[in-house]
């Protein structure tokens, strides 16, 4: 699978990191096959993160994802899902390896700058959700 879905989340957009993060993506050998900036509705955010609906952080997550615009990208590279997750780093920016996007641009475990699909199957579902 050569595609994955990436989102620059509201915290990074609000702080003006969109172009810095796009540059990192391109510098690391990804192509941006499609992209758009949108402000997620509550329904979209709830549907997108439906797997987490029973987690204690679900309401906080939906509020965060609907708080400002997001930049949605379909990324293209060999082994895109794994490559993009490696470039993003761990979910918690304070635990993410130095040099990763979440380490550089993330705020905290909730507002962690970017999203990446976690499997080829979910990448296909998430890409179809937005493009
Ligand atoms: P994403 O799916 O956004 O790429 P991820 O796969 O690294 O992130 P998940 O476990 O899928 O992590 O969690 C989805 C999102 O929910 C996280 O990116 C973060 O924004 C939020 N989140 C996860 N764990 C917590 C937590 N313990 N407290 C608050 N928010 C959390
Ligand atoms: Mg996830």
């Amino acid at each position: 699978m050569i595609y994955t879905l990436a989102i620059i989340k509201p915290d990074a957009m609000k702080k003006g990191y969109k172009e810095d993060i796009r540059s990192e993506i391109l510098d690391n050998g990804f192509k941006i096959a499609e992209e758009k900036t949108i402000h997620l509705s509550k329904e979209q955010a709830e549907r997108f993160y439906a797997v987490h609906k029973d987690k204690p952080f679900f309401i906080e997550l939906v509020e965060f994802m609907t708080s400002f615009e997001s930049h949605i990208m379909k990324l293209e590279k060999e082994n895109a899902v794994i490559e993009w997750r490696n470039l993003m780093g761990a979910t918690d920016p304070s635990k993410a390896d130095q040099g990763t996007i979440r380490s550089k641009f993330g705020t905290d475990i909730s507002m962690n700058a970017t999203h990446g699909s976690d499997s080829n199957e979910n990448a296909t579902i998430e890409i179809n959700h937005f493009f």
Side-chain angles (χ1 to χ4, degrees), residues 5 9 48-49 51-52 55-58 60-61 64-65 84-85 88-92 102 108-118 126:
L5 188 91
K9 294 184 180 181
F48 186 72
Y49 277 124
V51 292
H52 297 304
K55 303 266 173 65
F57 57 80
F58 183 67
E60 177 187 347
L61 178 58
F64 163 52
M65 292 301 292
W84 171 233
R85 289 191 71 92
M88 284 199 300
T91 307
D92 183 348
R102 281 168 164 170
D108 58 33
I109 193 169
S110 174
M111 300 187 278
N112 56 4
T114 53
H115 163 82
S117 309
D118 61 8
E126 292 178 0

PDB file of all heavy atoms in Angstrom, residues 5 9 48-49 51-52 55-58 60-61 64-65 84-85 88-92 102 108-118 126, ligand 1:
ATOM      1  N   LEU A   5      -3.458   8.285   5.219  1.00  0.00           N
ATOM      2  CA  LEU A   5      -4.112   9.558   5.472  1.00  0.00           C
ATOM      3  C   LEU A   5      -3.419  10.279   6.630  1.00  0.00           C
ATOM      4  O   LEU A   5      -3.211   9.697   7.692  1.00  0.00           O
ATOM      5  CB  LEU A   5      -5.594   9.391   5.830  1.00  0.00           C
ATOM      6  CG  LEU A   5      -6.261  10.770   5.885  1.00  0.00           C
ATOM      7  CD1 LEU A   5      -6.839  11.156   4.522  1.00  0.00           C
ATOM      8  CD2 LEU A   5      -7.322  10.869   6.953  1.00  0.00           C
ATOM      9  N   LYS A   9      -3.451  18.607  12.750  1.00  0.00           N
ATOM     10  CA  LYS A   9      -4.570  18.832  13.664  1.00  0.00           C
ATOM     11  C   LYS A   9      -4.674  20.315  14.075  1.00  0.00           C
ATOM     12  O   LYS A   9      -3.737  21.105  13.869  1.00  0.00           O
ATOM     13  CB  LYS A   9      -4.386  17.960  14.900  1.00  0.00           C
ATOM     14  CG  LYS A   9      -4.475  16.454  14.616  1.00  0.00           C
ATOM     15  CD  LYS A   9      -4.377  15.653  15.914  1.00  0.00           C
ATOM     16  CE  LYS A   9      -4.470  14.170  15.655  1.00  0.00           C
ATOM     17  NZ  LYS A   9      -4.408  13.391  16.918  1.00  0.00           N
ATOM     18  N   PHE A  48     -15.032   9.882  12.448  1.00  0.00           N
ATOM     19  CA  PHE A  48     -13.626   9.585  12.152  1.00  0.00           C
ATOM     20  C   PHE A  48     -12.965   8.838  13.306  1.00  0.00           C
ATOM     21  O   PHE A  48     -12.186   7.901  13.101  1.00  0.00           O
ATOM     22  CB  PHE A  48     -12.875  10.894  11.870  1.00  0.00           C
ATOM     23  CG  PHE A  48     -11.474  10.681  11.426  1.00  0.00           C
ATOM     24  CD1 PHE A  48     -11.202  10.184  10.166  1.00  0.00           C
ATOM     25  CD2 PHE A  48     -10.420  10.944  12.276  1.00  0.00           C
ATOM     26  CE1 PHE A  48      -9.906   9.962   9.754  1.00  0.00           C
ATOM     27  CE2 PHE A  48      -9.113  10.734  11.873  1.00  0.00           C
ATOM     28  CZ  PHE A  48      -8.858  10.235  10.608  1.00  0.00           C
ATOM     29  N   TYR A  49     -13.253   9.248  14.545  1.00  0.00           N
ATOM     30  CA  TYR A  49     -12.623   8.638  15.724  1.00  0.00           C
ATOM     31  C   TYR A  49     -13.572   7.672  16.439  1.00  0.00           C
ATOM     32  O   TYR A  49     -13.435   7.441  17.646  1.00  0.00           O
ATOM     33  CB  TYR A  49     -12.129   9.723  16.675  1.00  0.00           C
ATOM     34  CG  TYR A  49     -10.756  10.279  16.304  1.00  0.00           C
ATOM     35  CD1 TYR A  49     -10.554  11.639  16.088  1.00  0.00           C
ATOM     36  CD2 TYR A  49      -9.642   9.437  16.191  1.00  0.00           C
ATOM     37  CE1 TYR A  49      -9.297  12.144  15.761  1.00  0.00           C
ATOM     38  CE2 TYR A  49      -8.386   9.933  15.865  1.00  0.00           C
ATOM     39  CZ  TYR A  49      -8.220  11.286  15.655  1.00  0.00           C
ATOM     40  OH  TYR A  49      -6.972  11.772  15.344  1.00  0.00           O
ATOM     41  N   VAL A  51     -13.735   4.561  16.690  1.00  0.00           N
ATOM     42  CA  VAL A  51     -13.102   3.447  17.431  1.00  0.00           C
ATOM     43  C   VAL A  51     -12.790   3.842  18.872  1.00  0.00           C
ATOM     44  O   VAL A  51     -12.632   2.970  19.722  1.00  0.00           O
ATOM     45  CB  VAL A  51     -11.792   2.938  16.787  1.00  0.00           C
ATOM     46  CG1 VAL A  51     -12.052   2.246  15.470  1.00  0.00           C
ATOM     47  CG2 VAL A  51     -10.772   4.048  16.633  1.00  0.00           C
ATOM     48  N   HIS A  52     -12.699   5.140  19.148  1.00  0.00           N
ATOM     49  CA  HIS A  52     -12.358   5.590  20.496  1.00  0.00           C
ATOM     50  C   HIS A  52     -13.585   6.052  21.290  1.00  0.00           C
ATOM     51  O   HIS A  52     -13.450   6.667  22.343  1.00  0.00           O
ATOM     52  CB  HIS A  52     -11.364   6.761  20.432  1.00  0.00           C
ATOM     53  CG  HIS A  52     -10.047   6.383  19.816  1.00  0.00           C
ATOM     54  ND1 HIS A  52      -9.284   5.355  20.293  1.00  0.00           N
ATOM     55  CD2 HIS A  52      -9.362   6.894  18.757  1.00  0.00           C
ATOM     56  CE1 HIS A  52      -8.176   5.244  19.558  1.00  0.00           C
ATOM     57  NE2 HIS A  52      -8.215   6.160  18.617  1.00  0.00           N
ATOM     58  N   LYS A  55     -13.655   5.514  25.008  1.00  0.00           N
ATOM     59  CA  LYS A  55     -12.475   5.926  25.792  1.00  0.00           C
ATOM     60  C   LYS A  55     -12.805   7.168  26.627  1.00  0.00           C
ATOM     61  O   LYS A  55     -13.645   7.988  26.230  1.00  0.00           O
ATOM     62  CB  LYS A  55     -11.291   6.270  24.866  1.00  0.00           C
ATOM     63  CG  LYS A  55     -10.862   5.149  23.932  1.00  0.00           C
ATOM     64  CD  LYS A  55      -9.732   4.323  24.543  1.00  0.00           C
ATOM     65  CE  LYS A  55      -9.426   3.107  23.673  1.00  0.00           C
ATOM     66  NZ  LYS A  55      -8.893   3.458  22.365  1.00  0.00           N
ATOM     67  N   PRO A  56     -12.134   7.316  27.766  1.00  0.00           N
ATOM     68  CA  PRO A  56     -12.420   8.485  28.621  1.00  0.00           C
ATOM     69  C   PRO A  56     -12.089   9.822  27.962  1.00  0.00           C
ATOM     70  O   PRO A  56     -12.646  10.852  28.331  1.00  0.00           O
ATOM     71  CB  PRO A  56     -11.529   8.258  29.851  1.00  0.00           C
ATOM     72  CG  PRO A  56     -10.531   7.233  29.449  1.00  0.00           C
ATOM     73  CD  PRO A  56     -11.152   6.405  28.369  1.00  0.00           C
ATOM     74  N   PHE A  57     -11.214   9.803  26.949  1.00  0.00           N
ATOM     75  CA  PHE A  57     -10.805  11.062  26.322  1.00  0.00           C
ATOM     76  C   PHE A  57     -11.611  11.400  25.065  1.00  0.00           C
ATOM     77  O   PHE A  57     -11.300  12.359  24.369  1.00  0.00           O
ATOM     78  CB  PHE A  57      -9.302  11.035  25.995  1.00  0.00           C
ATOM     79  CG  PHE A  57      -8.865   9.895  25.099  1.00  0.00           C
ATOM     80  CD1 PHE A  57      -9.039   9.947  23.719  1.00  0.00           C
ATOM     81  CD2 PHE A  57      -8.267   8.767  25.651  1.00  0.00           C
ATOM     82  CE1 PHE A  57      -8.633   8.906  22.898  1.00  0.00           C
ATOM     83  CE2 PHE A  57      -7.850   7.706  24.830  1.00  0.00           C
ATOM     84  CZ  PHE A  57      -8.043   7.787  23.450  1.00  0.00           C
ATOM     85  N   PHE A  58     -12.674  10.627  24.774  1.00  0.00           N
ATOM     86  CA  PHE A  58     -13.387  10.807  23.502  1.00  0.00           C
ATOM     87  C   PHE A  58     -13.995  12.209  23.351  1.00  0.00           C
ATOM     88  O   PHE A  58     -13.842  12.854  22.307  1.00  0.00           O
ATOM     89  CB  PHE A  58     -14.467   9.736  23.341  1.00  0.00           C
ATOM     90  CG  PHE A  58     -15.195   9.805  22.023  1.00  0.00           C
ATOM     91  CD1 PHE A  58     -14.544   9.514  20.830  1.00  0.00           C
ATOM     92  CD2 PHE A  58     -16.532  10.183  21.973  1.00  0.00           C
ATOM     93  CE1 PHE A  58     -15.210   9.580  19.609  1.00  0.00           C
ATOM     94  CE2 PHE A  58     -17.209  10.251  20.759  1.00  0.00           C
ATOM     95  CZ  PHE A  58     -16.543   9.946  19.583  1.00  0.00           C
ATOM     96  N   GLU A  60     -13.185  15.011  24.872  1.00  0.00           N
ATOM     97  CA  GLU A  60     -12.076  15.967  24.738  1.00  0.00           C
ATOM     98  C   GLU A  60     -11.488  15.918  23.322  1.00  0.00           C
ATOM     99  O   GLU A  60     -11.187  16.946  22.717  1.00  0.00           O
ATOM    100  CB  GLU A  60     -11.007  15.589  25.776  1.00  0.00           C
ATOM    101  CG  GLU A  60      -9.747  16.408  25.752  1.00  0.00           C
ATOM    102  CD  GLU A  60      -8.673  15.836  26.715  1.00  0.00           C
ATOM    103  OE1 GLU A  60      -8.996  14.973  27.550  1.00  0.00           O
ATOM    104  OE2 GLU A  60      -7.517  16.259  26.593  1.00  0.00           O
ATOM    105  N   LEU A  61     -11.364  14.712  22.785  1.00  0.00           N
ATOM    106  CA  LEU A  61     -10.793  14.531  21.450  1.00  0.00           C
ATOM    107  C   LEU A  61     -11.681  15.185  20.385  1.00  0.00           C
ATOM    108  O   LEU A  61     -11.188  15.906  19.504  1.00  0.00           O
ATOM    109  CB  LEU A  61     -10.619  13.028  21.172  1.00  0.00           C
ATOM    110  CG  LEU A  61     -10.080  12.604  19.817  1.00  0.00           C
ATOM    111  CD1 LEU A  61      -8.704  13.213  19.544  1.00  0.00           C
ATOM    112  CD2 LEU A  61     -10.002  11.071  19.731  1.00  0.00           C
ATOM    113  N   PHE A  64     -11.525  18.987  20.694  1.00  0.00           N
ATOM    114  CA  PHE A  64     -10.256  19.468  20.132  1.00  0.00           C
ATOM    115  C   PHE A  64     -10.282  19.451  18.597  1.00  0.00           C
ATOM    116  O   PHE A  64      -9.944  20.457  17.953  1.00  0.00           O
ATOM    117  CB  PHE A  64      -9.101  18.598  20.662  1.00  0.00           C
ATOM    118  CG  PHE A  64      -7.826  18.719  19.881  1.00  0.00           C
ATOM    119  CD1 PHE A  64      -7.261  19.967  19.621  1.00  0.00           C
ATOM    120  CD2 PHE A  64      -7.182  17.586  19.400  1.00  0.00           C
ATOM    121  CE1 PHE A  64      -6.078  20.075  18.890  1.00  0.00           C
ATOM    122  CE2 PHE A  64      -6.010  17.687  18.667  1.00  0.00           C
ATOM    123  CZ  PHE A  64      -5.460  18.935  18.401  1.00  0.00           C
ATOM    124  N   MET A  65     -10.720  18.358  18.023  1.00  0.00           N
ATOM    125  CA  MET A  65     -10.672  18.219  16.563  1.00  0.00           C
ATOM    126  C   MET A  65     -11.650  19.143  15.844  1.00  0.00           C
ATOM    127  O   MET A  65     -11.509  19.380  14.646  1.00  0.00           O
ATOM    128  CB  MET A  65     -10.923  16.758  16.156  1.00  0.00           C
ATOM    129  CG  MET A  65      -9.811  15.794  16.545  1.00  0.00           C
ATOM    130  SD  MET A  65      -8.183  16.199  15.842  1.00  0.00           S
ATOM    131  CE  MET A  65      -8.464  15.898  14.087  1.00  0.00           C
ATOM    132  N   TRP A  84       4.872   7.036   7.622  1.00  0.00           N
ATOM    133  CA  TRP A  84       4.298   8.263   8.176  1.00  0.00           C
ATOM    134  C   TRP A  84       4.198   8.178   9.703  1.00  0.00           C
ATOM    135  O   TRP A  84       4.501   9.126  10.413  1.00  0.00           O
ATOM    136  CB  TRP A  84       2.943   8.569   7.523  1.00  0.00           C
ATOM    137  CG  TRP A  84       2.168   9.691   8.163  1.00  0.00           C
ATOM    138  CD1 TRP A  84       0.884   9.638   8.605  1.00  0.00           C
ATOM    139  CD2 TRP A  84       2.603  11.039   8.439  1.00  0.00           C
ATOM    140  NE1 TRP A  84       0.499  10.844   9.135  1.00  0.00           N
ATOM    141  CE2 TRP A  84       1.542  11.718   9.047  1.00  0.00           C
ATOM    142  CE3 TRP A  84       3.807  11.732   8.218  1.00  0.00           C
ATOM    143  CZ2 TRP A  84       1.625  13.047   9.453  1.00  0.00           C
ATOM    144  CZ3 TRP A  84       3.893  13.066   8.628  1.00  0.00           C
ATOM    145  CH2 TRP A  84       2.818  13.709   9.236  1.00  0.00           C
ATOM    146  N   ARG A  85       3.838   7.003  10.235  1.00  0.00           N
ATOM    147  CA  ARG A  85       3.787   6.873  11.703  1.00  0.00           C
ATOM    148  C   ARG A  85       5.184   7.034  12.296  1.00  0.00           C
ATOM    149  O   ARG A  85       5.345   7.618  13.370  1.00  0.00           O
ATOM    150  CB  ARG A  85       3.117   5.565  12.121  1.00  0.00           C
ATOM    151  CG  ARG A  85       1.609   5.583  11.853  1.00  0.00           C
ATOM    152  CD  ARG A  85       0.867   4.440  12.467  1.00  0.00           C
ATOM    153  NE  ARG A  85       0.762   4.494  13.906  1.00  0.00           N
ATOM    154  CZ  ARG A  85      -0.251   5.054  14.580  1.00  0.00           C
ATOM    155  NH1 ARG A  85      -1.244   5.659  13.938  1.00  0.00           N
ATOM    156  NH2 ARG A  85      -0.281   5.012  15.894  1.00  0.00           N
ATOM    157  N   MET A  88       5.945  10.743  12.343  1.00  0.00           N
ATOM    158  CA  MET A  88       5.167  11.457  13.360  1.00  0.00           C
ATOM    159  C   MET A  88       5.725  11.253  14.759  1.00  0.00           C
ATOM    160  O   MET A  88       5.714  12.164  15.573  1.00  0.00           O
ATOM    161  CB  MET A  88       3.718  10.938  13.397  1.00  0.00           C
ATOM    162  CG  MET A  88       2.838  11.387  12.301  1.00  0.00           C
ATOM    163  SD  MET A  88       1.093  11.167  12.767  1.00  0.00           S
ATOM    164  CE  MET A  88       0.986   9.416  13.045  1.00  0.00           C
ATOM    165  N   GLY A  89       6.128  10.028  15.084  1.00  0.00           N
ATOM    166  CA  GLY A  89       6.570   9.699  16.445  1.00  0.00           C
ATOM    167  C   GLY A  89       5.404   9.257  17.320  1.00  0.00           C
ATOM    168  O   GLY A  89       4.265   9.187  16.872  1.00  0.00           O
ATOM    169  N   ALA A  90       5.703   8.993  18.598  1.00  0.00           N
ATOM    170  CA  ALA A  90       4.717   8.435  19.526  1.00  0.00           C
ATOM    171  C   ALA A  90       3.557   9.397  19.765  1.00  0.00           C
ATOM    172  O   ALA A  90       3.693  10.615  19.591  1.00  0.00           O
ATOM    173  CB  ALA A  90       5.398   8.099  20.848  1.00  0.00           C
ATOM    174  N   THR A  91       2.415   8.825  20.195  1.00  0.00           N
ATOM    175  CA  THR A  91       1.198   9.604  20.435  1.00  0.00           C
ATOM    176  C   THR A  91       1.452  10.762  21.406  1.00  0.00           C
ATOM    177  O   THR A  91       0.973  11.875  21.185  1.00  0.00           O
ATOM    178  CB  THR A  91       0.098   8.684  21.025  1.00  0.00           C
ATOM    179  OG1 THR A  91      -0.060   7.552  20.168  1.00  0.00           O
ATOM    180  CG2 THR A  91      -1.218   9.414  21.157  1.00  0.00           C
ATOM    181  N   ASP A  92       2.213  10.486  22.475  1.00  0.00           N
ATOM    182  CA  ASP A  92       2.517  11.518  23.477  1.00  0.00           C
ATOM    183  C   ASP A  92       3.796  12.253  23.062  1.00  0.00           C
ATOM    184  O   ASP A  92       4.884  11.674  23.075  1.00  0.00           O
ATOM    185  CB  ASP A  92       2.710  10.842  24.836  1.00  0.00           C
ATOM    186  CG  ASP A  92       2.970  11.842  25.961  1.00  0.00           C
ATOM    187  OD1 ASP A  92       3.227  13.033  25.670  1.00  0.00           O
ATOM    188  OD2 ASP A  92       2.914  11.425  27.124  1.00  0.00           O
ATOM    189  N   ARG A 102       5.744  15.006  16.013  1.00  0.00           N
ATOM    190  CA  ARG A 102       5.023  15.253  17.270  1.00  0.00           C
ATOM    191  C   ARG A 102       5.960  15.816  18.339  1.00  0.00           C
ATOM    192  O   ARG A 102       5.559  16.633  19.160  1.00  0.00           O
ATOM    193  CB  ARG A 102       4.340  13.977  17.735  1.00  0.00           C
ATOM    194  CG  ARG A 102       3.040  13.730  16.958  1.00  0.00           C
ATOM    195  CD  ARG A 102       2.504  12.356  17.201  1.00  0.00           C
ATOM    196  NE  ARG A 102       1.116  12.204  16.799  1.00  0.00           N
ATOM    197  CZ  ARG A 102       0.497  11.031  16.735  1.00  0.00           C
ATOM    198  NH1 ARG A 102       1.154   9.910  17.037  1.00  0.00           N
ATOM    199  NH2 ARG A 102      -0.757  10.969  16.361  1.00  0.00           N
ATOM    200  N   ASP A 108       0.538  18.289  23.592  1.00  0.00           N
ATOM    201  CA  ASP A 108       0.447  17.284  24.660  1.00  0.00           C
ATOM    202  C   ASP A 108      -0.186  16.021  24.088  1.00  0.00           C
ATOM    203  O   ASP A 108      -0.402  15.938  22.880  1.00  0.00           O
ATOM    204  CB  ASP A 108      -0.325  17.826  25.872  1.00  0.00           C
ATOM    205  CG  ASP A 108      -1.735  18.288  25.514  1.00  0.00           C
ATOM    206  OD1 ASP A 108      -2.355  17.687  24.606  1.00  0.00           O
ATOM    207  OD2 ASP A 108      -2.213  19.243  26.131  1.00  0.00           O
ATOM    208  N   ILE A 109      -0.521  15.050  24.953  1.00  0.00           N
ATOM    209  CA  ILE A 109      -0.998  13.746  24.441  1.00  0.00           C
ATOM    210  C   ILE A 109      -2.316  13.882  23.680  1.00  0.00           C
ATOM    211  O   ILE A 109      -2.622  13.063  22.809  1.00  0.00           O
ATOM    212  CB  ILE A 109      -1.116  12.706  25.581  1.00  0.00           C
ATOM    213  CG1 ILE A 109      -1.300  11.304  25.009  1.00  0.00           C
ATOM    214  CG2 ILE A 109      -2.206  13.077  26.564  1.00  0.00           C
ATOM    215  CD1 ILE A 109      -1.180  10.180  25.997  1.00  0.00           C
ATOM    216  N   SER A 110      -3.092  14.895  23.974  1.00  0.00           N
ATOM    217  CA  SER A 110      -4.344  15.121  23.254  1.00  0.00           C
ATOM    218  C   SER A 110      -4.098  15.958  21.993  1.00  0.00           C
ATOM    219  O   SER A 110      -4.468  15.562  20.876  1.00  0.00           O
ATOM    220  CB  SER A 110      -5.326  15.834  24.182  1.00  0.00           C
ATOM    221  OG  SER A 110      -6.480  16.188  23.484  1.00  0.00           O
ATOM    222  N   MET A 111      -3.443  17.076  22.173  1.00  0.00           N
ATOM    223  CA  MET A 111      -3.177  17.993  21.054  1.00  0.00           C
ATOM    224  C   MET A 111      -1.783  17.697  20.506  1.00  0.00           C
ATOM    225  O   MET A 111      -0.807  18.377  20.836  1.00  0.00           O
ATOM    226  CB  MET A 111      -3.311  19.433  21.542  1.00  0.00           C
ATOM    227  CG  MET A 111      -4.710  19.715  22.070  1.00  0.00           C
ATOM    228  SD  MET A 111      -4.988  21.432  22.469  1.00  0.00           S
ATOM    229  CE  MET A 111      -4.251  21.511  24.077  1.00  0.00           C
ATOM    230  N   ASN A 112      -1.709  16.655  19.674  1.00  0.00           N
ATOM    231  CA  ASN A 112      -0.396  16.120  19.288  1.00  0.00           C
ATOM    232  C   ASN A 112      -0.046  16.350  17.805  1.00  0.00           C
ATOM    233  O   ASN A 112       0.655  15.549  17.198  1.00  0.00           O
ATOM    234  CB  ASN A 112      -0.301  14.641  19.683  1.00  0.00           C
ATOM    235  CG  ASN A 112      -1.423  13.811  19.098  1.00  0.00           C
ATOM    236  OD1 ASN A 112      -2.235  14.319  18.337  1.00  0.00           O
ATOM    237  ND2 ASN A 112      -1.459  12.541  19.431  1.00  0.00           N
ATOM    238  N   ALA A 113      -0.545  17.441  17.261  1.00  0.00           N
ATOM    239  CA  ALA A 113      -0.108  17.999  15.963  1.00  0.00           C
ATOM    240  C   ALA A 113      -0.557  17.257  14.706  1.00  0.00           C
ATOM    241  O   ALA A 113      -0.911  17.895  13.716  1.00  0.00           O
ATOM    242  CB  ALA A 113       1.417  18.190  15.921  1.00  0.00           C
ATOM    243  N   THR A 114      -0.499  15.924  14.724  1.00  0.00           N
ATOM    244  CA  THR A 114      -0.829  15.201  13.490  1.00  0.00           C
ATOM    245  C   THR A 114      -1.544  13.880  13.784  1.00  0.00           C
ATOM    246  O   THR A 114      -1.425  13.323  14.868  1.00  0.00           O
ATOM    247  CB  THR A 114       0.436  14.874  12.667  1.00  0.00           C
ATOM    248  OG1 THR A 114       1.382  14.208  13.496  1.00  0.00           O
ATOM    249  CG2 THR A 114       1.055  16.117  12.051  1.00  0.00           C
ATOM    250  N   HIS A 115      -2.240  13.410  12.769  1.00  0.00           N
ATOM    251  CA  HIS A 115      -2.849  12.067  12.764  1.00  0.00           C
ATOM    252  C   HIS A 115      -2.233  11.246  11.648  1.00  0.00           C
ATOM    253  O   HIS A 115      -1.879  11.786  10.600  1.00  0.00           O
ATOM    254  CB  HIS A 115      -4.360  12.173  12.512  1.00  0.00           C
ATOM    255  CG  HIS A 115      -4.971  10.858  12.100  1.00  0.00           C
ATOM    256  ND1 HIS A 115      -5.327   9.895  13.009  1.00  0.00           N
ATOM    257  CD2 HIS A 115      -5.209  10.328  10.874  1.00  0.00           C
ATOM    258  CE1 HIS A 115      -5.787   8.832  12.348  1.00  0.00           C
ATOM    259  NE2 HIS A 115      -5.735   9.070  11.055  1.00  0.00           N
ATOM    260  N   GLY A 116      -2.164   9.935  11.876  1.00  0.00           N
ATOM    261  CA  GLY A 116      -1.788   9.007  10.810  1.00  0.00           C
ATOM    262  C   GLY A 116      -2.583   7.724  10.920  1.00  0.00           C
ATOM    263  O   GLY A 116      -2.819   7.231  12.034  1.00  0.00           O
ATOM    264  N   SER A 117      -3.001   7.174   9.780  1.00  0.00           N
ATOM    265  CA  SER A 117      -3.712   5.890   9.781  1.00  0.00           C
ATOM    266  C   SER A 117      -2.829   4.833  10.449  1.00  0.00           C
ATOM    267  O   SER A 117      -1.603   4.895  10.372  1.00  0.00           O
ATOM    268  CB  SER A 117      -4.012   5.448   8.342  1.00  0.00           C
ATOM    269  OG  SER A 117      -4.638   6.483   7.623  1.00  0.00           O
ATOM    270  N   ASP A 118      -3.487   3.838  11.088  1.00  0.00           N
ATOM    271  CA  ASP A 118      -2.704   2.823  11.807  1.00  0.00           C
ATOM    272  C   ASP A 118      -2.626   1.482  11.093  1.00  0.00           C
ATOM    273  O   ASP A 118      -2.003   0.544  11.605  1.00  0.00           O
ATOM    274  CB  ASP A 118      -3.229   2.657  13.238  1.00  0.00           C
ATOM    275  CG  ASP A 118      -4.678   2.194  13.272  1.00  0.00           C
ATOM    276  OD1 ASP A 118      -5.239   1.865  12.220  1.00  0.00           O
ATOM    277  OD2 ASP A 118      -5.250   2.180  14.392  1.00  0.00           O
ATOM    278  N   GLU A 126     -10.140   5.757   5.768  1.00  0.00           N
ATOM    279  CA  GLU A 126      -9.978   7.178   6.115  1.00  0.00           C
ATOM    280  C   GLU A 126      -9.815   8.051   4.863  1.00  0.00           C
ATOM    281  O   GLU A 126     -10.330   9.172   4.807  1.00  0.00           O
ATOM    282  CB  GLU A 126      -8.781   7.340   7.053  1.00  0.00           C
ATOM    283  CG  GLU A 126      -9.035   6.706   8.427  1.00  0.00           C
ATOM    284  CD  GLU A 126      -7.841   6.801   9.361  1.00  0.00           C
ATOM    285  OE1 GLU A 126      -6.784   7.359   8.965  1.00  0.00           O
ATOM    286  OE2 GLU A 126      -7.954   6.329  10.502  1.00  0.00           O
TER     287      GLU A 126
HETATM  288  P1  LIG B   1      -3.944   9.274  15.715  1.00  0.00           P
HETATM  289  O1  LIG B   1      -4.996   8.207  15.582  1.00  0.00           O
HETATM  290  O2  LIG B   1      -4.528  10.657  15.923  1.00  0.00           O
HETATM  291  O3  LIG B   1      -2.929   9.225  14.626  1.00  0.00           O
HETATM  292  P2  LIG B   1      -2.506   7.611  17.542  1.00  0.00           P
HETATM  293  O4  LIG B   1      -2.869   6.504  16.622  1.00  0.00           O
HETATM  294  O5  LIG B   1      -1.053   7.821  17.853  1.00  0.00           O
HETATM  295  O6  LIG B   1      -3.097   8.980  17.051  1.00  0.00           O
HETATM  296  P3  LIG B   1      -4.712   6.811  19.206  1.00  0.00           P
HETATM  297  O7  LIG B   1      -4.579   5.846  20.327  1.00  0.00           O
HETATM  298  O8  LIG B   1      -5.360   6.350  17.938  1.00  0.00           O
HETATM  299  O9  LIG B   1      -3.260   7.431  18.930  1.00  0.00           O
HETATM  300  O10 LIG B   1      -5.495   8.075  19.782  1.00  0.00           O
HETATM  301  C1  LIG B   1      -6.160   8.979  18.904  1.00  0.00           C
HETATM  302  C2  LIG B   1      -5.974  10.386  19.414  1.00  0.00           C
HETATM  303  O11 LIG B   1      -6.681  10.532  20.644  1.00  0.00           O
HETATM  304  C3  LIG B   1      -4.537  10.778  19.777  1.00  0.00           C
HETATM  305  O12 LIG B   1      -3.785  11.161  18.662  1.00  0.00           O
HETATM  306  C4  LIG B   1      -4.778  11.929  20.727  1.00  0.00           C
HETATM  307  O13 LIG B   1      -5.135  13.113  20.014  1.00  0.00           O
HETATM  308  C5  LIG B   1      -5.977  11.432  21.500  1.00  0.00           C
HETATM  309  N1  LIG B   1      -5.558  10.687  22.694  1.00  0.00           N
HETATM  310  C6  LIG B   1      -5.021   9.455  22.766  1.00  0.00           C
HETATM  311  N2  LIG B   1      -4.750   9.075  24.012  1.00  0.00           N
HETATM  312  C7  LIG B   1      -5.154  10.107  24.792  1.00  0.00           C
HETATM  313  C8  LIG B   1      -5.156  10.355  26.204  1.00  0.00           C
HETATM  314  N3  LIG B   1      -4.721   9.441  27.063  1.00  0.00           N
HETATM  315  N4  LIG B   1      -5.641  11.537  26.643  1.00  0.00           N
HETATM  316  C9  LIG B   1      -6.121  12.465  25.774  1.00  0.00           C
HETATM  317  N5  LIG B   1      -6.149  12.296  24.422  1.00  0.00           N
HETATM  318  C10 LIG B   1      -5.672  11.138  23.942  1.00  0.00           C
END
